[in-house]
Amino acid sequence: MNLVKALLRLVFFWKKPRSVVPVVRLSGVIASSSQMRRGLSLEAVEPQLKKAFAIRGAKAVALIINSPGGSPVQSALIGKRVRDLARKANVPVLAFCEDVAASGGYWLAASADEIYANAASVVGSIGVVSAGFGFDRAIEKLGVDRRVYTAGTNKMILDPFQAEKDTDVARLKSLQAEIHQQFIAHVTERRGGKLKGDHDDLFSGAFWTGATAVELGLIDGLADCRGLVTERFGDTTDLMTIEPKKRLFGGFGGLPGMQAGRLVEEAVDVAVERALLARFGL
C-alpha cells in the first residue's frame, strides 16, 4: 500500500501543470449599446476584458475578432482598454481574425501585439465612410413642406429632407479626414515597421484576404487560435473562453409588448450587420 501511495505521489509530482490562455470574442457591428442592442461597445465587452486580464498566470490573452467595423469612437475605446489592461497585467495580446476584421474590426485587431487570420479572412478597410439618403425631391412631389427653425447657421447641415449643399459635404469630408488620420496613426503606431505595402494603398480603405494581408504586414501570419496557442505554449495550455454576462430579462421573455419590441430591435440590428458584411462580399 505504501508503494502504491509513493507511486501516485510520483505521478502527481511529474504531471505537467496546465496553463491557460483566456479568450474574448469580439463579434458584430461596433456601436454603442444605445444604438444597437447587439452592438459591440466598451460597455458590453469591458467586463469580459477585465476578467480575462485578471487571470493569474495566463500565458496570453486571445481576442477572436469577427467584425465589419462601425463606430470609430467605440473602436478606439475598446482598443485603448485592451492596451491599458495588457500593460497593467504585463500579458501579451494575440488577435485572431475570423471571417472579417475590417474598418473598426481591424482597429481592434491592431490593438493586439500580434495579429493572425485565416487565408480567406477579409482584413483591412482602413478608412472612414458615411452614408445616407436624400428625400428632398420625394417630399416635394408629395407636396410636403420642410419647416426647420434653428439658432446657428450650421445646426441642420446634411438634413436629408433638404437639398444637399456643397459646404455641408465639405464639412463632413473634413471630419472624415480627421478621423481617418487618427485611424492611420493608430495602425502605424501599433504595426510600426511591420507594414510593407504602399502607404496610400494601405490606408485607402481597401481590404484584402488574410493571405495578402501577411505580405502587406497588416497581420503577422496565418493561424487559428487553438493551433497557435498549442504550438507556442504547448499542449498543456487550455483555452478559457470568457463568456459575456447575460442581460437581465434577456432573450424574448417578458410581456408581449416587450417581446415585440425586442424582435423589432433584433431584426433591425441583423439588417444593419448584414448590410455591412455585404460590403465585403460576406
Side-chain angles (χ1 to χ4, degrees), residues 3-34:
L3 179 60
V4 173
K5 288 182 178 179
L7 288 172
L8 288 174
R9 290 195 190 99
L10 186 62
V11 170
F12 180 78
F13 179 79
W14 285 107
K15 184 179 179 181
K16 294 182 179 179
R18 301 194 70 82
S19 53
V20 65
V21 170
V23 178
V24 178
R25 296 193 67 91
L26 302 177
S27 300
V29 177
I30 303 170
S32 67
S33 55
S34 62

PDB file of all heavy atoms in Angstrom, residues 3-34:
ATOM      1  N   LEU A   3       3.808   1.471  -1.186  1.00  0.00           N
ATOM      2  CA  LEU A   3       4.440   1.574  -2.506  1.00  0.00           C
ATOM      3  C   LEU A   3       3.491   2.232  -3.506  1.00  0.00           C
ATOM      4  O   LEU A   3       3.896   3.070  -4.316  1.00  0.00           O
ATOM      5  CB  LEU A   3       4.844   0.184  -2.995  1.00  0.00           C
ATOM      6  CG  LEU A   3       5.505   0.138  -4.388  1.00  0.00           C
ATOM      7  CD1 LEU A   3       6.784   0.972  -4.385  1.00  0.00           C
ATOM      8  CD2 LEU A   3       5.796  -1.303  -4.784  1.00  0.00           C
ATOM      9  N   VAL A   4       2.197   1.865  -3.436  1.00  0.00           N
ATOM     10  CA  VAL A   4       1.195   2.459  -4.330  1.00  0.00           C
ATOM     11  C   VAL A   4       1.083   3.955  -4.080  1.00  0.00           C
ATOM     12  O   VAL A   4       1.040   4.766  -5.014  1.00  0.00           O
ATOM     13  CB  VAL A   4      -0.177   1.777  -4.137  1.00  0.00           C
ATOM     14  CG1 VAL A   4      -1.253   2.519  -4.934  1.00  0.00           C
ATOM     15  CG2 VAL A   4      -0.108   0.324  -4.572  1.00  0.00           C
ATOM     16  N   LYS A   5       1.033   4.341  -2.810  1.00  0.00           N
ATOM     17  CA  LYS A   5       0.941   5.762  -2.475  1.00  0.00           C
ATOM     18  C   LYS A   5       2.153   6.527  -2.982  1.00  0.00           C
ATOM     19  O   LYS A   5       2.043   7.644  -3.483  1.00  0.00           O
ATOM     20  CB  LYS A   5       0.809   5.934  -0.962  1.00  0.00           C
ATOM     21  CG  LYS A   5      -0.543   5.509  -0.408  1.00  0.00           C
ATOM     22  CD  LYS A   5      -0.604   5.772   1.089  1.00  0.00           C
ATOM     23  CE  LYS A   5      -1.976   5.399   1.645  1.00  0.00           C
ATOM     24  NZ  LYS A   5      -2.039   5.625   3.113  1.00  0.00           N
ATOM     25  N   ALA A   6       3.311   5.900  -2.843  1.00  0.00           N
ATOM     26  CA  ALA A   6       4.538   6.555  -3.293  1.00  0.00           C
ATOM     27  C   ALA A   6       4.521   6.753  -4.801  1.00  0.00           C
ATOM     28  O   ALA A   6       4.929   7.803  -5.315  1.00  0.00           O
ATOM     29  CB  ALA A   6       5.747   5.720  -2.879  1.00  0.00           C
ATOM     30  N   LEU A   7       4.022   5.732  -5.527  1.00  0.00           N
ATOM     31  CA  LEU A   7       3.942   5.841  -6.986  1.00  0.00           C
ATOM     32  C   LEU A   7       2.954   6.924  -7.407  1.00  0.00           C
ATOM     33  O   LEU A   7       3.197   7.679  -8.356  1.00  0.00           O
ATOM     34  CB  LEU A   7       3.538   4.490  -7.587  1.00  0.00           C
ATOM     35  CG  LEU A   7       4.611   3.397  -7.544  1.00  0.00           C
ATOM     36  CD1 LEU A   7       4.022   2.060  -7.997  1.00  0.00           C
ATOM     37  CD2 LEU A   7       5.790   3.778  -8.438  1.00  0.00           C
ATOM     38  N   LEU A   8       1.819   7.000  -6.697  1.00  0.00           N
ATOM     39  CA  LEU A   8       0.822   8.026  -7.009  1.00  0.00           C
ATOM     40  C   LEU A   8       1.387   9.423  -6.782  1.00  0.00           C
ATOM     41  O   LEU A   8       1.143  10.345  -7.571  1.00  0.00           O
ATOM     42  CB  LEU A   8      -0.436   7.821  -6.153  1.00  0.00           C
ATOM     43  CG  LEU A   8      -1.313   6.620  -6.532  1.00  0.00           C
ATOM     44  CD1 LEU A   8      -2.435   6.444  -5.514  1.00  0.00           C
ATOM     45  CD2 LEU A   8      -1.898   6.817  -7.928  1.00  0.00           C
ATOM     46  N   ARG A   9       2.137   9.566  -5.683  1.00  0.00           N
ATOM     47  CA  ARG A   9       2.761  10.866  -5.416  1.00  0.00           C
ATOM     48  C   ARG A   9       3.756  11.221  -6.508  1.00  0.00           C
ATOM     49  O   ARG A   9       3.864  12.369  -6.933  1.00  0.00           O
ATOM     50  CB  ARG A   9       3.472  10.844  -4.061  1.00  0.00           C
ATOM     51  CG  ARG A   9       2.550  10.795  -2.860  1.00  0.00           C
ATOM     52  CD  ARG A   9       3.309  11.150  -1.599  1.00  0.00           C
ATOM     53  NE  ARG A   9       2.517  10.884  -0.409  1.00  0.00           N
ATOM     54  CZ  ARG A   9       2.635   9.801   0.343  1.00  0.00           C
ATOM     55  NH1 ARG A   9       3.530   8.868   0.017  1.00  0.00           N
ATOM     56  NH2 ARG A   9       1.877   9.631   1.405  1.00  0.00           N
ATOM     57  N   LEU A  10       4.489  10.212  -6.976  1.00  0.00           N
ATOM     58  CA  LEU A  10       5.489  10.443  -8.014  1.00  0.00           C
ATOM     59  C   LEU A  10       4.825  10.876  -9.321  1.00  0.00           C
ATOM     60  O   LEU A  10       5.279  11.809  -9.989  1.00  0.00           O
ATOM     61  CB  LEU A  10       6.306   9.167  -8.238  1.00  0.00           C
ATOM     62  CG  LEU A  10       7.498   9.286  -9.205  1.00  0.00           C
ATOM     63  CD1 LEU A  10       8.514  10.287  -8.655  1.00  0.00           C
ATOM     64  CD2 LEU A  10       8.150   7.931  -9.420  1.00  0.00           C
ATOM     65  N   VAL A  11       3.715  10.183  -9.662  1.00  0.00           N
ATOM     66  CA  VAL A  11       2.983  10.539 -10.883  1.00  0.00           C
ATOM     67  C   VAL A  11       2.440  11.955 -10.791  1.00  0.00           C
ATOM     68  O   VAL A  11       2.524  12.749 -11.725  1.00  0.00           O
ATOM     69  CB  VAL A  11       1.830   9.537 -11.133  1.00  0.00           C
ATOM     70  CG1 VAL A  11       0.921  10.044 -12.255  1.00  0.00           C
ATOM     71  CG2 VAL A  11       2.392   8.169 -11.483  1.00  0.00           C
ATOM     72  N   PHE A  12       1.871  12.280  -9.621  1.00  0.00           N
ATOM     73  CA  PHE A  12       1.316  13.618  -9.427  1.00  0.00           C
ATOM     74  C   PHE A  12       2.411  14.673  -9.500  1.00  0.00           C
ATOM     75  O   PHE A  12       2.235  15.746 -10.071  1.00  0.00           O
ATOM     76  CB  PHE A  12       0.603  13.694  -8.068  1.00  0.00           C
ATOM     77  CG  PHE A  12       0.002  15.048  -7.787  1.00  0.00           C
ATOM     78  CD1 PHE A  12      -1.195  15.420  -8.371  1.00  0.00           C
ATOM     79  CD2 PHE A  12       0.655  15.950  -6.953  1.00  0.00           C
ATOM     80  CE1 PHE A  12      -1.746  16.664  -8.121  1.00  0.00           C
ATOM     81  CE2 PHE A  12       0.112  17.196  -6.714  1.00  0.00           C
ATOM     82  CZ  PHE A  12      -1.092  17.549  -7.295  1.00  0.00           C
ATOM     83  N   PHE A  13       3.578  14.347  -8.943  1.00  0.00           N
ATOM     84  CA  PHE A  13       4.685  15.303  -8.924  1.00  0.00           C
ATOM     85  C   PHE A  13       5.171  15.598 -10.335  1.00  0.00           C
ATOM     86  O   PHE A  13       5.476  16.739 -10.680  1.00  0.00           O
ATOM     87  CB  PHE A  13       5.834  14.739  -8.078  1.00  0.00           C
ATOM     88  CG  PHE A  13       7.034  15.648  -8.034  1.00  0.00           C
ATOM     89  CD1 PHE A  13       7.048  16.750  -7.203  1.00  0.00           C
ATOM     90  CD2 PHE A  13       8.142  15.395  -8.844  1.00  0.00           C
ATOM     91  CE1 PHE A  13       8.151  17.597  -7.167  1.00  0.00           C
ATOM     92  CE2 PHE A  13       9.241  16.242  -8.813  1.00  0.00           C
ATOM     93  CZ  PHE A  13       9.251  17.340  -7.969  1.00  0.00           C
ATOM     94  N   TRP A  14       5.221  14.548 -11.168  1.00  0.00           N
ATOM     95  CA  TRP A  14       5.755  14.719 -12.518  1.00  0.00           C
ATOM     96  C   TRP A  14       4.706  15.165 -13.528  1.00  0.00           C
ATOM     97  O   TRP A  14       5.032  15.478 -14.665  1.00  0.00           O
ATOM     98  CB  TRP A  14       6.394  13.411 -13.003  1.00  0.00           C
ATOM     99  CG  TRP A  14       7.719  13.166 -12.353  1.00  0.00           C
ATOM    100  CD1 TRP A  14       8.008  12.258 -11.392  1.00  0.00           C
ATOM    101  CD2 TRP A  14       8.933  13.873 -12.613  1.00  0.00           C
ATOM    102  NE1 TRP A  14       9.323  12.333 -11.016  1.00  0.00           N
ATOM    103  CE2 TRP A  14       9.927  13.329 -11.766  1.00  0.00           C
ATOM    104  CE3 TRP A  14       9.288  14.913 -13.476  1.00  0.00           C
ATOM    105  CZ2 TRP A  14      11.231  13.780 -11.751  1.00  0.00           C
ATOM    106  CZ3 TRP A  14      10.594  15.361 -13.469  1.00  0.00           C
ATOM    107  CH2 TRP A  14      11.553  14.803 -12.613  1.00  0.00           C
ATOM    108  N   LYS A  15       3.448  15.203 -13.124  1.00  0.00           N
ATOM    109  CA  LYS A  15       2.400  15.642 -14.042  1.00  0.00           C
ATOM    110  C   LYS A  15       2.577  17.121 -14.360  1.00  0.00           C
ATOM    111  O   LYS A  15       2.716  17.953 -13.470  1.00  0.00           O
ATOM    112  CB  LYS A  15       1.018  15.424 -13.416  1.00  0.00           C
ATOM    113  CG  LYS A  15      -0.122  15.778 -14.365  1.00  0.00           C
ATOM    114  CD  LYS A  15      -1.467  15.527 -13.703  1.00  0.00           C
ATOM    115  CE  LYS A  15      -2.604  15.902 -14.640  1.00  0.00           C
ATOM    116  NZ  LYS A  15      -3.926  15.685 -14.008  1.00  0.00           N
ATOM    117  N   LYS A  16       2.585  17.443 -15.636  1.00  0.00           N
ATOM    118  CA  LYS A  16       2.804  18.825 -16.045  1.00  0.00           C
ATOM    119  C   LYS A  16       1.618  19.705 -15.643  1.00  0.00           C
ATOM    120  O   LYS A  16       0.474  19.360 -15.928  1.00  0.00           O
ATOM    121  CB  LYS A  16       2.998  18.906 -17.561  1.00  0.00           C
ATOM    122  CG  LYS A  16       4.261  18.239 -18.065  1.00  0.00           C
ATOM    123  CD  LYS A  16       4.382  18.409 -19.568  1.00  0.00           C
ATOM    124  CE  LYS A  16       5.655  17.756 -20.086  1.00  0.00           C
ATOM    125  NZ  LYS A  16       5.784  17.894 -21.560  1.00  0.00           N
ATOM    126  N   PRO A  17       1.881  20.822 -14.983  1.00  0.00           N
ATOM    127  CA  PRO A  17       0.777  21.723 -14.638  1.00  0.00           C
ATOM    128  C   PRO A  17       0.199  22.351 -15.907  1.00  0.00           C
ATOM    129  O   PRO A  17       0.918  22.632 -16.860  1.00  0.00           O
ATOM    130  CB  PRO A  17       1.456  22.781 -13.760  1.00  0.00           C
ATOM    131  CG  PRO A  17       2.890  22.759 -14.177  1.00  0.00           C
ATOM    132  CD  PRO A  17       3.193  21.333 -14.546  1.00  0.00           C
ATOM    133  N   ARG A  18      -1.108  22.574 -15.942  1.00  0.00           N
ATOM    134  CA  ARG A  18      -1.758  23.131 -17.118  1.00  0.00           C
ATOM    135  C   ARG A  18      -1.811  24.647 -16.998  1.00  0.00           C
ATOM    136  O   ARG A  18      -2.110  25.196 -15.945  1.00  0.00           O
ATOM    137  CB  ARG A  18      -3.159  22.550 -17.285  1.00  0.00           C
ATOM    138  CG  ARG A  18      -3.169  21.028 -17.415  1.00  0.00           C
ATOM    139  CD  ARG A  18      -4.507  20.530 -17.922  1.00  0.00           C
ATOM    140  NE  ARG A  18      -4.721  20.876 -19.316  1.00  0.00           N
ATOM    141  CZ  ARG A  18      -4.225  20.169 -20.332  1.00  0.00           C
ATOM    142  NH1 ARG A  18      -3.475  19.111 -20.119  1.00  0.00           N
ATOM    143  NH2 ARG A  18      -4.479  20.542 -21.579  1.00  0.00           N
ATOM    144  N   SER A  19      -1.486  25.303 -18.092  1.00  0.00           N
ATOM    145  CA  SER A  19      -1.561  26.759 -18.146  1.00  0.00           C
ATOM    146  C   SER A  19      -2.806  27.156 -18.931  1.00  0.00           C
ATOM    147  O   SER A  19      -3.503  26.309 -19.487  1.00  0.00           O
ATOM    148  CB  SER A  19      -0.299  27.338 -18.795  1.00  0.00           C
ATOM    149  OG  SER A  19      -0.059  26.732 -20.050  1.00  0.00           O
ATOM    150  N   VAL A  20      -3.069  28.457 -18.998  1.00  0.00           N
ATOM    151  CA  VAL A  20      -4.319  28.905 -19.599  1.00  0.00           C
ATOM    152  C   VAL A  20      -4.110  30.160 -20.438  1.00  0.00           C
ATOM    153  O   VAL A  20      -3.240  30.986 -20.144  1.00  0.00           O
ATOM    154  CB  VAL A  20      -5.382  29.174 -18.503  1.00  0.00           C
ATOM    155  CG1 VAL A  20      -4.963  30.333 -17.616  1.00  0.00           C
ATOM    156  CG2 VAL A  20      -6.746  29.447 -19.117  1.00  0.00           C
ATOM    157  N   VAL A  21      -4.907  30.273 -21.499  1.00  0.00           N
ATOM    158  CA  VAL A  21      -4.983  31.487 -22.309  1.00  0.00           C
ATOM    159  C   VAL A  21      -6.455  31.902 -22.363  1.00  0.00           C
ATOM    160  O   VAL A  21      -7.271  31.221 -22.986  1.00  0.00           O
ATOM    161  CB  VAL A  21      -4.451  31.264 -23.738  1.00  0.00           C
ATOM    162  CG1 VAL A  21      -4.772  32.475 -24.619  1.00  0.00           C
ATOM    163  CG2 VAL A  21      -2.948  31.019 -23.728  1.00  0.00           C
ATOM    164  N   PRO A  22      -6.826  32.983 -21.678  1.00  0.00           N
ATOM    165  CA  PRO A  22      -8.214  33.457 -21.742  1.00  0.00           C
ATOM    166  C   PRO A  22      -8.551  33.941 -23.152  1.00  0.00           C
ATOM    167  O   PRO A  22      -7.709  34.535 -23.832  1.00  0.00           O
ATOM    168  CB  PRO A  22      -8.239  34.619 -20.739  1.00  0.00           C
ATOM    169  CG  PRO A  22      -7.017  34.445 -19.899  1.00  0.00           C
ATOM    170  CD  PRO A  22      -5.999  33.793 -20.774  1.00  0.00           C
ATOM    171  N   VAL A  23      -9.785  33.691 -23.574  1.00  0.00           N
ATOM    172  CA  VAL A  23     -10.236  34.065 -24.912  1.00  0.00           C
ATOM    173  C   VAL A  23     -11.467  34.963 -24.802  1.00  0.00           C
ATOM    174  O   VAL A  23     -12.440  34.613 -24.132  1.00  0.00           O
ATOM    175  CB  VAL A  23     -10.592  32.819 -25.751  1.00  0.00           C
ATOM    176  CG1 VAL A  23     -11.102  33.232 -27.127  1.00  0.00           C
ATOM    177  CG2 VAL A  23      -9.385  31.903 -25.882  1.00  0.00           C
ATOM    178  N   VAL A  24     -11.409  36.115 -25.467  1.00  0.00           N
ATOM    179  CA  VAL A  24     -12.555  37.030 -25.519  1.00  0.00           C
ATOM    180  C   VAL A  24     -12.976  37.181 -26.969  1.00  0.00           C
ATOM    181  O   VAL A  24     -12.156  37.525 -27.824  1.00  0.00           O
ATOM    182  CB  VAL A  24     -12.201  38.415 -24.931  1.00  0.00           C
ATOM    183  CG1 VAL A  24     -13.398  39.364 -25.052  1.00  0.00           C
ATOM    184  CG2 VAL A  24     -11.774  38.288 -23.476  1.00  0.00           C
ATOM    185  N   ARG A  25     -14.241  36.921 -27.240  1.00  0.00           N
ATOM    186  CA  ARG A  25     -14.768  37.065 -28.602  1.00  0.00           C
ATOM    187  C   ARG A  25     -15.314  38.477 -28.795  1.00  0.00           C
ATOM    188  O   ARG A  25     -16.133  38.951 -28.006  1.00  0.00           O
ATOM    189  CB  ARG A  25     -15.873  36.051 -28.875  1.00  0.00           C
ATOM    190  CG  ARG A  25     -15.416  34.598 -28.834  1.00  0.00           C
ATOM    191  CD  ARG A  25     -16.484  33.686 -29.424  1.00  0.00           C
ATOM    192  NE  ARG A  25     -16.637  33.932 -30.853  1.00  0.00           N
ATOM    193  CZ  ARG A  25     -15.959  33.285 -31.801  1.00  0.00           C
ATOM    194  NH1 ARG A  25     -15.079  32.366 -31.477  1.00  0.00           N
ATOM    195  NH2 ARG A  25     -16.161  33.566 -33.068  1.00  0.00           N
ATOM    196  N   LEU A  26     -14.855  39.132 -29.861  1.00  0.00           N
ATOM    197  CA  LEU A  26     -15.336  40.464 -30.224  1.00  0.00           C
ATOM    198  C   LEU A  26     -16.019  40.340 -31.579  1.00  0.00           C
ATOM    199  O   LEU A  26     -15.380  40.433 -32.621  1.00  0.00           O
ATOM    200  CB  LEU A  26     -14.171  41.456 -30.277  1.00  0.00           C
ATOM    201  CG  LEU A  26     -13.361  41.613 -28.980  1.00  0.00           C
ATOM    202  CD1 LEU A  26     -12.189  42.560 -29.190  1.00  0.00           C
ATOM    203  CD2 LEU A  26     -14.245  42.094 -27.835  1.00  0.00           C
ATOM    204  N   SER A  27     -17.328  40.108 -31.544  1.00  0.00           N
ATOM    205  CA  SER A  27     -18.072  39.821 -32.771  1.00  0.00           C
ATOM    206  C   SER A  27     -19.232  40.787 -32.951  1.00  0.00           C
ATOM    207  O   SER A  27     -19.919  41.132 -31.992  1.00  0.00           O
ATOM    208  CB  SER A  27     -18.614  38.384 -32.741  1.00  0.00           C
ATOM    209  OG  SER A  27     -17.565  37.450 -32.628  1.00  0.00           O
ATOM    210  N   GLY A  28     -19.441  41.209 -34.199  1.00  0.00           N
ATOM    211  CA  GLY A  28     -20.589  42.038 -34.527  1.00  0.00           C
ATOM    212  C   GLY A  28     -20.215  43.451 -34.920  1.00  0.00           C
ATOM    213  O   GLY A  28     -19.036  43.819 -34.988  1.00  0.00           O
ATOM    214  N   VAL A  29     -21.238  44.237 -35.174  1.00  0.00           N
ATOM    215  CA  VAL A  29     -21.051  45.638 -35.538  1.00  0.00           C
ATOM    216  C   VAL A  29     -20.638  46.430 -34.303  1.00  0.00           C
ATOM    217  O   VAL A  29     -21.187  46.235 -33.216  1.00  0.00           O
ATOM    218  CB  VAL A  29     -22.354  46.224 -36.125  1.00  0.00           C
ATOM    219  CG1 VAL A  29     -22.193  47.708 -36.429  1.00  0.00           C
ATOM    220  CG2 VAL A  29     -22.753  45.463 -37.381  1.00  0.00           C
ATOM    221  N   ILE A  30     -19.671  47.305 -34.458  1.00  0.00           N
ATOM    222  CA  ILE A  30     -19.184  48.104 -33.333  1.00  0.00           C
ATOM    223  C   ILE A  30     -20.077  49.335 -33.192  1.00  0.00           C
ATOM    224  O   ILE A  30     -20.130  50.185 -34.085  1.00  0.00           O
ATOM    225  CB  ILE A  30     -17.721  48.518 -33.552  1.00  0.00           C
ATOM    226  CG1 ILE A  30     -16.851  47.273 -33.758  1.00  0.00           C
ATOM    227  CG2 ILE A  30     -17.211  49.330 -32.365  1.00  0.00           C
ATOM    228  CD1 ILE A  30     -15.442  47.573 -34.229  1.00  0.00           C
ATOM    229  N   ALA A  31     -20.792  49.410 -32.088  1.00  0.00           N
ATOM    230  CA  ALA A  31     -21.722  50.520 -31.859  1.00  0.00           C
ATOM    231  C   ALA A  31     -22.040  50.592 -30.380  1.00  0.00           C
ATOM    232  O   ALA A  31     -21.949  49.591 -29.664  1.00  0.00           O
ATOM    233  CB  ALA A  31     -23.007  50.330 -32.662  1.00  0.00           C
ATOM    234  N   SER A  32     -22.409  51.772 -29.917  1.00  0.00           N
ATOM    235  CA  SER A  32     -22.786  51.922 -28.517  1.00  0.00           C
ATOM    236  C   SER A  32     -24.060  51.139 -28.249  1.00  0.00           C
ATOM    237  O   SER A  32     -24.867  50.901 -29.151  1.00  0.00           O
ATOM    238  CB  SER A  32     -22.993  53.397 -28.170  1.00  0.00           C
ATOM    239  OG  SER A  32     -24.120  53.908 -28.853  1.00  0.00           O
ATOM    240  N   SER A  33     -24.241  50.746 -27.002  1.00  0.00           N
ATOM    241  CA  SER A  33     -25.404  49.940 -26.639  1.00  0.00           C
ATOM    242  C   SER A  33     -26.706  50.695 -26.854  1.00  0.00           C
ATOM    243  O   SER A  33     -27.765  50.094 -27.018  1.00  0.00           O
ATOM    244  CB  SER A  33     -25.300  49.491 -25.179  1.00  0.00           C
ATOM    245  OG  SER A  33     -25.132  50.608 -24.325  1.00  0.00           O
ATOM    246  N   SER A  34     -26.645  52.029 -26.867  1.00  0.00           N
ATOM    247  CA  SER A  34     -27.856  52.818 -27.092  1.00  0.00           C
ATOM    248  C   SER A  34     -28.268  52.807 -28.563  1.00  0.00           C
ATOM    249  O   SER A  34     -29.418  53.061 -28.900  1.00  0.00           O
ATOM    250  CB  SER A  34     -27.648  54.265 -26.634  1.00  0.00           C
ATOM    251  OG  SER A  34     -26.622  54.884 -27.384  1.00  0.00           O
TER     252      SER A  34
END
